[in-house]
Amino acid sequence: MSQKYFGTDGIRGKVGEFPMTPDFVMKLGWAAGVVLAADGTKEVLVGKDTRASGYMLESALEAGLSAAGVNIALAGPIPTPAVAYLASTFRADAGVVISASHNPYYDNGIKFFGRSGSKLGSEQQQAIEEKLQYALENGIECVESGRLGKARRVEDASGRYIEFCKGTFPSDLSLEGLSIVVDSANGAAYKVAPSVFEELGAKVINIANTPNGVNINNECGATSLNALSKAVTTHKADLGIAVDGDADRIMFVDSDGDVVDGDEILFLMAREAKQAGYKGGVVGTLMSNLGLEMALKELDIPFERTKVGDRYVVEKLKETGWRIGGETSGHILNLDYAFTGDAIVAALQILAVVVKSEYSLKDLKAGMTKLPQCMVNVRHSDLDSVLDLNVVKEEVSRVEKALGSTGRLVLRKSGTEPLIRVMIEAIDENMAVSLANGLAETIRTN
């Protein structure tokens, strides 16, 4: 049975429009509470990012969970991975994050985590959807007054998470002598991220660390790196670090202000792990640059791809028994530390490589060469049929033959819009652009 509301990263939408309304979120809280309580859940830890709408949705979610007889521990603004970690340390049975991650302030979302810190599985999500549909059609059923869930504020959630992050950094190393620009995206990590790096000895220059409820991800953070690049070169810093609104995504820029993306971060992590005796491989996605695959092959490190979405990366990591995986966009996973993407922990792993090697980030990333990549979005009214047309199949064959073993074609149907995404990688940028545009035009005109 397909899921109507849960996407690859929880439930998300524009605030004030279905499903991101107080009524819907209250019923979602009730549905989740009923399902989780049946599995033994007594308390749920709730965190949020810095969006103004977080206060409203937090209250609605709290009401729904309480009506289902589940206690609530309110952690306030805190990164998504912090909720996944703290749910276990505070002895909560599950975690909920109110955030739309890298989206603009007018969006928001809800995502759930289980006891282990990983996102809820498909079966639990399906069960919640079924209860949610019942609530939308019939309203909620409140437990008797003596069994209503109680809410409490969590003291020093940020402090505990900061100590956890610092504990993932090698105890024999220090960040002293490093100058780092930190872009907190005016989001959930605006206090936590600078504190972690400063307490480990770095000189930190902060940008985008003054949230006001509507400036989250606004021309800042991991999806908008111009301000970070400029700040790094202006301050002559060693490097820059950007997280997104809920701090599960990480991007770097080097001393020249050039971007170091998720693929390059995975390469650096995997190479370091291999040198330390790691026997496993790396999991990427369909969008991971072919240059990453080629560089890992040279190091004799296995590589596998999944569908786009960090939950698919986690599933493949568990299936293979490997520890390292992630996405080009900066969702980086190391299962030695957490079962969800954690920007700060990933940043510390790369900083450890920089400190230990005594090389600059610019020099370290030179071990991997990214192939030019061209992406074209094609709007079409019949996504399923057009890819089965002979004329399209023939063009796909022509493109694949032209690319040979030194390039790659990916055709993806968008899950949210009537679009087909044409992505081509090739050794030559002009070739990638020409082939992508040609295939896109064939799809567009048929």
Side-chain angles (χ1 to χ4, degrees):
M1 186 174 177
S2 62
Q3 292 175 9
K4 183 177 181 180
Y5 301 110
F6 281 95
T8 57
D9 200 25
I11 299 173
R12 193 176 296 184
K14 188 173 183 180
V15 174
E17 298 179 3
F18 188 86
M20 278 299 110
T21 64
D23 179 68
F24 179 93
V25 172
M26 181 184 68
K27 290 172 180 174
L28 172 63
W30 175 81
V34 170
V35 171
L36 293 172
D39 289 338
T41 293
K42 293 182 175 62
E43 183 173 71
V44 172
L45 181 76
V46 178
K48 61 184 178 181
D49 63 25
T50 55
R51 294 163 214 268
S53 60
Y55 294 95
M56 174 182 73
L57 298 180
E58 180 184 58
S59 296
L61 186 72
E62 179 186 341
L65 288 166
S66 177
V70 174
N71 294 328
I72 307 102
L74 299 169
I78 198 166
T80 286
V83 173
Y85 163 70
L86 292 170
S88 60
T89 62
F90 281 113
R91 297 187 179 179
D93 301 297
V96 184
V97 177
I98 303 168
S99 174
S101 192
H102 58 280
N103 285 29
Y105 79 93
Y106 47 75
D107 290 339
N108 217 326
I110 312 286
K111 46 190 168 185
F112 295 87
F113 295 89
R115 291 180 181 88
S116 66
S118 57
K119 292 178 182 177
L120 293 187
S122 297
E123 288 185 8
Q124 278 186 305
Q125 287 186 359
Q126 185 62 52
I128 292 172
E129 286 221 354
E130 290 173 7
K131 280 293 181 186
L132 173 60
Q133 194 60 45
Y134 172 87
L136 293 171
E137 295 172 0
N138 303 288
I140 67 175
E141 298 169 355
C142 188
V143 300
E144 57 95 9
S145 295
R147 293 175 49 224
L148 288 172
K150 300 176 179 64
R152 66 183 177 97
R153 290 283 171 188
V154 174
E155 299 297 329
D156 199 29
S158 294
R160 294 198 188 197
Y161 177 62
I162 287 170
E163 290 306 311
F164 161 73
C165 291
K166 287 162 58 181
T168 67
F169 190 75
S171 58
D172 59 332
L173 299 179
S174 168
L175 297 182
E176 288 185 15
L178 273 185
S179 174
I180 303 172
V181 180
V182 177
D183 180 342
S184 300
N186 291 315
Y190 76 101
K191 289 183 178 179
V192 171
S195 296
V196 169
F197 303 126
E198 284 175 347
E199 290 180 23
L200 287 171
K203 175 188 175 183
V204 173
I205 299 118
N206 282 303
I207 64 173
N209 68 325
T210 55
N212 61 15
V214 297
N215 61 357
I216 186 171
N217 299 315
N218 183 21
E219 297 184 356
C220 59
T223 57
S224 182
L225 297 168
N226 288 340
L228 179 63
S229 295
K230 184 176 180 180
V232 167
T233 55
T234 298
H235 291 280
K236 294 183 169 59
D238 294 299
L239 54 88
I241 297 170
V243 303
D244 66 342
D246 71 334
D248 65 352
R249 183 183 292 198
I250 175 78
M251 288 285 204
F252 283 85
V253 300
D254 63 22
S255 55
D256 289 344
D258 294 330
V259 174
V260 181
D261 67 14
D263 291 336
E264 292 161 311
I265 293 169
L266 281 178
F267 166 72
L268 294 176
M269 285 177 57
R271 183 172 64 180
E272 179 69 12
K274 173 86 171 182
Q275 292 171 355
Y278 176 62
K279 304 296 185 183
V282 173
V283 175
T285 73
L286 292 173
M287 304 309 293
S288 299
N289 194 280
L290 185 58
L292 170 62
E293 184 174 351
M294 295 166 70
L296 291 176
K297 187 175 182 180
E298 286 187 14
L299 296 173
D300 197 28
I301 298 175
F303 179 75
E304 288 198 25
R305 297 179 186 270
T306 70
K307 291 189 290 185
V308 174
D310 62 332
R311 66 176 296 184
Y312 301 114
V313 175
V314 172
E315 288 173 1
K316 180 61 72 172
L317 286 172
K318 290 180 178 178
E319 176 188 320
T320 57
W322 299 346
R323 313 302 292 168
I324 299 170
E327 301 185 89
T328 310
S329 60
H331 282 122
I332 306 298
L333 292 130
N334 186 325
L335 301 193
D336 287 330
Y337 303 111
F339 289 102
T340 188
D342 191 318
I344 298 173
V345 169
L348 290 175
Q349 291 177 70
I350 299 305
L351 291 174
V353 176
V354 171
V355 171
K356 188 159 61 173
S357 69
E358 299 184 352
Y359 284 103
S360 69
L361 182 59
K362 178 183 177 181
D363 290 337
L364 287 168
K365 74 170 187 177
M368 170 187 155
T369 302
K370 292 174 63 178
L371 268 66
Q373 190 178 84
C374 180
M375 169 83 81
V376 181
N377 292 324
V378 185
R379 190 167 293 274
H380 202 282
S381 59
D382 193 348
L383 302 185
D384 294 316
S385 298
V386 67
L387 296 181
D388 288 329
L389 294 175
N390 286 334
V391 64
V392 173
K393 289 181 177 180
E394 289 170 2
E395 181 64 8
V396 167
S397 296
R398 187 187 74 82
V399 168
E400 290 177 335
K401 185 176 180 180
L403 291 171
S405 61
T406 59
R408 195 167 64 96
L409 162 65
V410 177
L411 284 177
R412 290 177 55 227
K413 290 182 289 186
S414 170
T416 57
E417 299 177 87
L419 296 175
I420 292 174
R421 307 191 193 281
V422 180
M423 191 279 286
I424 289 182
E425 292 172 338
I427 291 179
D428 179 73
E429 183 175 4
N430 291 332
M431 180 184 186
V433 171
S434 175
L435 291 174
N437 285 331
L439 178 53
E441 184 63 21
T442 300
I443 294 171
R444 187 179 293 114
T445 54
N446 286 279

